Amino acid sequence: MLVAVPLLLIPVVLYNVVVLFSLGDGARTGAADLMLREPVFSIPMASGAGWDVGTGDLILFVSLICLFFELLKSTSSQKVAIINHALSMVLFVVCLVQFLLLRGFATSTFFLVTVMVMLDVLAGFIVTIVAARRDLDLGLGQQQ
């Protein structure tokens, strides 16, 4: 049953933890955005410049990896896939509500995570519909 849990829940929870720590003690609204942009480490590039990687960049990286595996999972036609699609839809609604209504979630990082969750929902439903149509076409073709 753990397979039904959307993997994109991981970056959403990570973002919530970051916002929880940045907004503690009544911090101002932009504190989460500043914390997300603050470099965690820097990688020297061949050009001589340094590539600063922040917390928000790491959350987006984890989100992209999770989205890849979610898209692979959406091609499955198991019964647990329907539960996964429903939970992904719930996760999208939660992300949308957080983005629109809660302080600290109106950042580009969280917007992109929300878009990835929406793409997971759309991909899951589209793959399910295409697979059902294909099964229906095969079933009708055998009766003739």
Side-chain angles (χ1 to χ4, degrees):
M1 196 61 162
L2 194 58
V3 177
V5 176
L7 293 175
L8 284 166
L9 182 66
I10 296 168
V12 171
V13 168
L14 286 174
Y15 190 92
N16 276 277
V17 168
V18 169
V19 168
L20 179 69
F21 284 122
S22 69
L23 292 182
D25 303 328
R28 65 186 190 284
T29 305
D33 199 34
L34 290 174
M35 188 176 210
L36 291 167
R37 293 175 191 242
E38 186 177 309
V40 176
F41 57 89
S42 183
I43 300 173
M45 304 303 287
S47 65
W51 174 29
D52 294 333
V53 179
T55 306
D57 301 324
L58 293 173
I59 290 173
L60 288 176
F61 179 69
V62 169
S63 300
L64 285 170
I65 292 171
C66 290
L67 178 62
F68 172 74
F69 286 108
E70 277 295 314
L71 292 176
L72 288 178
K73 279 179 22 179
S74 71
T75 61
S76 164
S77 61
Q78 299 174 357
K79 289 182 182 181
V80 74
I82 296 171
I83 297 170
N84 180 274
H85 299 328
L87 291 175
S88 293
M89 179 59 94
V90 169
L91 181 62
F92 173 67
V93 170
V94 168
C95 288
L96 191 61
V97 167
Q98 286 181 325
F99 179 72
L100 295 173
L101 301 179
L102 296 180
R103 187 175 61 163
F105 288 86
T107 64
S108 295
T109 301
F110 194 72
F111 173 75
L112 292 173
V113 171
T114 303
V115 168
M116 287 183 219
V117 173
M118 181 189 69
L119 289 174
D120 173 39
V121 170
L122 291 174
F125 287 137
I126 289 169
V127 167
T128 302
I129 289 169
V130 168
R133 258 184 45 197
R134 186 189 63 220
D135 291 345
L136 182 63
D137 289 342
L138 288 175
L140 292 175
Q142 290 175 356
Q143 291 178 356
Q144 294 176 358

